[in-house]
Amino acid sequence: MATGSGSLMWFRKGLRIHDNPALERASGASSFLYPVFVIDPRYMAPDRRAFSPGSSLAGLNRIRFLLESLSDLDSSLRKLGSRLLVLKGDPGEVLVRCLKEWNINKLCFEYDTEPYYQSLDEKLKSFASSAGIETFSPVSHTLFNPADIIEKNGGRPPLSYQSFVKLAGKPLWESSTLNLSISSLPPIGDVGSMEISEVPTIIELGYSDSELVDETPFRGGESEALKRLKEFLPNKAWVANFEKPKGDPSAFDKPDTTVLSPYLKFGCLSSGYFYQCLNDVYRDVKKHTQPPVSLLGQLLWRDFFYTVAFGTPNFDRMKGNRICKQIPWDERDELLAAWREARTGYPWIDAIMVQLKKWGWMHHLARHCVACFLTRGDLFVHWEKGRDVFERLLIDSDWAINNGNWLWLSCSSFFYQYNRIYSPISFGKKYDPNGNYIRHFLPVLKDMPKEYIYEPWTAPLSVQTKAKCIIGRDYPKTVVGHDSASKECRRKMGEAYALNQRLNGSVSEQDLKNLRRKLEEDRTEEDEELDGFLVKSVVDTHRILRSGACSSISAHRDSLF
Ligand code: FAD
């Protein structure tokens, strides 16, 4: 039985002081407080086999964002008479060692719904309980407790936003006062033989200077999150009239949405506090937009996906996922690579993929366009492959939200109108006819006249020459023709939906194989032609890239991945 009066506050997400019930509980009635963060090498240490700089699990931009968030947390803790104790290793093992070595009687950490933490937390709780250590693990990452909503719905998660909102109602704490500051914290106790370090720099983690290109413009940390929030809240009209999906996905100097997602992901900003701030604005104005389109409605989307993800086994894959349509996606690595490396030949799509790689953040509709293009719109590549690329490169990469949106965009779940496909040409043009967004993220096209910027392959050679951008040499040819590729995708989706309906969702591996064979046999001459074109343009692009014949395209390649 633990006899000490020390608390261990284990930070994972929830990297903040404000509205942090686990930290509050850890600091109350304790003689000592150990605020701990464990650096897991799998998440943070360089893995040079990965397709972009970063670890085996995360791109460098997100790792950097996390380090900045930790430094900010450390400096806030220091102002309160404490500091962040950084340890390294497998988090489960490190935590057990801390609990054994330090005189701890209370272990506090924010509840986490992700499968990784669910199993880790179970093990830790059981160790703590056998050692007589009290654990406190409040739900403070989301507005609602996903388990409560699932229970209210008879044990299954609601599968539509509307039913979610109805079940959720108002959060219980809606009108209570959140604790936004802490005046002081108990001192740190004796750390014994545990190896403690400061928050490391990116170089100390093992990255080299040459990897530190493409830095996202967004800095991590609670202070930044609150600053960002306070910058737009006074603009009450903007908050009150916020309406998604209206808004300009090509706005990059001043994005059209809050860019609070990376702060919410790491819990630098409390979603509950954000929710209350929005309600304060709504109270002050005569009229405001409503969910699902309002800003508060966006936070409810977040909770919606958390709830479905928590209540759906195998949520992050097609197989064994009861809410996911079984679709015979193609295994075409060359198409995936062209998409990932921003060389599809569609400037709108490629510019978005460059923004993902450089910034780790894109507007919601931009995400829609590239996710649709990769899956049911043009390339018919498995949504799990696109999900993996987003998961690595986004600074706001979030297990529940990312998987939920990929399921949505690939028409595998939630949304089923597979005939509605985003045009990689006309969609972006609506918002940005001059192509400023493309010119910014794809400088190779900066001198292309606006008539051709979305379809540079249609520019006469004289125009391409003048713009110093020859298609097929300086910028790739299109990997597929959109009209025929999207028609073919619709046909495949139609057949797959019919199969899912016929078998009432119980589609086996063999059924998918049979369907793949049938789709192959039913291919029209037009499809054969398309395939020849596709292979030729991918091969051409590879040839150009490999030969390095043209310095500008190799520079372009280097600046991509
Ligand atoms: P705002 O419009 O200002 O919204 C405020 C907050 O509401 C966001 O920060 C976010 O927490 C939440 N939110 C907004 N839209 C959604 C949504 N559709 N679903 C759930 N929550 C939402 N968002 C992530 O946070 N992490 C991801 O990994 C992620 N992956 C995505 C993958 C795809 C294929 C798509 C289409 C969308 C994805 N989104 C993801 C959702 C959405 O695009 C981002 O949350 C949003 O663009 C972030 O910008 P913002 O903070 O300016 O959003």
Side-chain angles (χ1 to χ4, degrees):
M1 189 76 178
T3 52
S5 62
S7 305
L8 195 158
M9 168 66 202
W10 180 22
F11 286 99
R12 303 103 68 91
K13 296 170 192 160
L15 303 179
R16 62 173 184 269
I17 304 292
H18 74 278
D19 184 30
N20 191 335
L23 177 62
E24 240 179 272
R25 177 72 160 262
S27 59
S30 297
S31 320
F32 299 106
L33 170 69
Y34 295 83
V36 163
F37 184 87
V38 184
I39 297 227
D40 181 349
R42 274 186 342 129
Y43 194 88
M44 309 283 265
D47 177 356
R48 302 219 153 79
R49 289 160 309 173
F51 72 78
S52 75
S55 67
S56 55
L57 298 177
L60 204 49
N61 266 330
R62 192 161 76 256
I63 295 175
R64 192 179 347 225
F65 193 94
L66 170 58
L67 290 183
E68 288 163 357
S69 304
L70 294 176
S71 291
D72 187 57
L73 179 64
D74 181 46
S75 99
S76 304
L77 290 170
R78 283 176 196 267
K79 285 181 197 144
L80 298 170
S82 184
R83 64 165 284 208
L84 191 62
L85 304 173
V86 178
L87 294 108
K88 285 197 190 92
D90 172 78
E93 288 168 18
V94 172
L95 257 290
V96 167
R97 275 177 34 229
C98 293
L99 292 176
K100 282 183 177 163
E101 187 139 341
W102 300 340
N103 207 3
I104 302 291
N105 70 343
K106 217 183 329 174
L107 167 66
C108 303
F109 53 89
E110 185 178 62
Y111 185 76
D112 199 304
T113 48
E114 280 186 31
Y116 168 76
Y117 282 110
Q118 286 282 304
S119 73
L120 177 55
D121 294 355
E122 260 331 294
K123 283 188 209 135
L124 264 177
K125 276 187 188 162
S126 112
F127 173 81
S129 146
S130 65
I133 297 169
E134 171 200 338
T135 48
F136 179 65
S137 184
V139 175
S140 50
H141 190 62
T142 44
L143 302 173
F144 299 92
N145 183 347
D148 290 348
I149 310 260
I150 291 168
E151 196 189 315
K152 273 195 204 167
N153 199 40
R156 288 212 163 193
L159 294 179
S160 79
Y161 182 85
Q162 284 70 20
S163 55
F164 166 80
V165 170
K166 226 186 197 165
L167 284 161
K170 306 262 185 227
L172 294 173
W173 44 264
E174 191 188 42
S175 47
S176 49
T177 316
L178 299 179
N179 195 348
L180 298 180
S181 61
I182 290 180
S183 54
S184 72
L185 291 170
I188 290 169
D190 181 7
V191 295
S193 65
M194 298 298 293
E195 211 175 300
I196 309 289
S197 73
E198 302 283 319
V199 176
T201 64
I202 202 101
I203 299 288
E204 283 164 355
L205 281 181
Y207 294 93
S208 63
D209 281 332
S210 64
E211 288 169 299
L212 306 183
V213 283
D214 295 336
E215 198 169 332
T216 177
F218 307 111
R219 301 271 70 87
E222 177 182 19
S223 309
E224 271 295 317
L226 294 175
K227 194 169 121 208
R228 233 189 142 75
L229 181 69
K230 288 192 171 128
E231 266 164 18
F232 73 77
L233 281 178
N235 191 347
K236 292 185 182 170
W238 185 82
V239 173
N241 296 323
F242 184 98
E243 196 174 339
K244 226 163 152 188
K246 285 189 186 157
D248 180 356
S250 68
F252 62 95
D253 274 343
K254 196 174 172 306
D256 237 7
T257 53
T258 63
V259 194
L260 284 173
S261 49
Y263 304 94
L264 288 162
K265 181 243 148 67
F266 284 111
C268 302
L269 175 65
S270 140
S271 58
Y273 179 52
F274 188 9
Y275 178 97
Q276 284 201 337
C277 291
L278 293 176
N279 268 336
D280 288 346
V281 173
Y282 293 160
R283 261 193 296 277
D284 284 356
V285 293
K286 279 208 190 96
K287 237 175 72 189
H288 60 84
T289 50
Q290 296 288 340
V293 300
S294 61
L295 200 42
L296 196 141
Q298 304 312 304
L299 279 182
L300 296 174
W301 277 113
R302 180 174 180 269
D303 263 57
F304 167 67
F305 284 122
Y306 266 84
T307 306
V308 187
F310 183 59
T312 307
N314 302 320
F315 184 68
D316 58 358
R317 64 199 78 143
M318 180 174 86
K319 278 189 212 150
N321 179 348
R322 65 171 179 241
I323 67 166
C324 180
K325 296 250 185 250
Q326 304 299 301
I327 294 168
W329 301 109
D330 288 340
E331 303 276 334
R332 303 187 80 162
D333 288 347
E334 74 282 11
L335 291 181
L336 173 68
W339 176 82
R340 188 182 67 209
E341 293 164 16
R343 49 181 174 81
T344 66
Y346 288 95
W348 171 244
I349 298 297
D350 291 343
I352 297 169
M353 293 307 288
V354 175
Q355 190 185 18
L356 168 62
K357 192 251 174 179
K358 285 182 181 288
W359 287 26
W361 182 92
M362 313 89 89
H363 185 276
H364 184 57
L365 288 177
R367 299 180 197 210
H368 270 229
C369 290
V370 291
C372 175
F373 185 87
L374 179 73
T375 57
R376 65 180 173 92
D378 290 80
L379 305 186
F380 214 68
V381 169
H382 205 310
W383 62 269
E384 290 173 15
K385 304 271 184 188
R387 179 275 319 277
D388 288 344
V389 173
F390 270 36
E391 189 168 288
R392 176 174 187 81
L393 295 178
L394 283 172
I395 52 171
D396 62 24
S397 166
D398 179 298
W399 185 78
I401 307 180
N402 196 30
N403 281 296
N405 275 283
W406 275 96
L407 283 163
W408 185 298
L409 262 299
S410 62
C411 280
S412 296
S413 197
F414 306 115
F415 174 78
Y416 303 107
Q417 294 178 41
Y418 60 80
N419 279 315
R420 288 174 58 183
I421 289 175
Y422 289 97
S423 160
I425 300 160
S426 57
F427 187 78
K429 209 188 271 183
K430 254 190 334 208
Y431 298 94
D432 179 18
N434 191 43
N436 295 338
Y437 175 82
I438 293 172
R439 291 174 210 282
H440 180 83
F441 287 106
L442 288 176
V444 68
L445 287 165
K446 74 179 181 346
D447 296 322
M448 192 58 73
K450 72 183 257 201
E451 303 85 292
Y452 303 110
I453 186 93
Y454 285 87
E455 301 168 90
W457 61 91
T458 62
L461 193 57
S462 59
V463 173
Q464 296 184 24
T465 308
K466 191 154 173 248
K468 294 185 271 331
C469 182
I470 306 292
I471 302 309
R473 189 189 77 187
D474 303 309
Y475 179 70
K477 289 180 184 166
T478 48
V479 286
V480 290
H482 172 64
D483 288 345
S484 40
S486 55
K487 189 169 152 213
E488 174 69 354
C489 280
R490 284 190 184 99
R491 180 175 77 88
K492 290 177 176 169
M493 290 298 285
E495 295 266 4
Y497 267 46
L499 177 72
N500 278 264
Q501 194 177 20
R502 213 165 41 246
L503 299 179
N504 204 12
S506 310
V507 180
S508 69
E509 195 86 30
Q510 188 56 46
D511 297 325
L512 277 186
K513 245 190 209 156
N514 295 344
L515 177 57
R516 218 172 257 124
R517 196 171 316 121
K518 175 176 185 302
L519 289 169
E520 213 30 57
E521 283 162 10
D522 291 352
R523 283 158 63 85
T524 60
E525 245 170 60
E526 196 185 333
D527 302 328
E528 304 289 344
E529 239 170 68
L530 161 74
D531 215 33
F533 168 69
L534 186 157
V535 170
K536 185 173 176 320
S537 48
V538 172
V539 169
D540 280 353
T541 310
H542 268 298
R543 190 171 44 74
I544 294 161
L545 288 170
R546 260 206 320 272
S547 74
C550 164
S551 57
S552 62
I553 188 104
S554 11
H556 175 62
R557 183 248 336 253
D558 290 340
S559 74
L560 293 173
F561 287 105

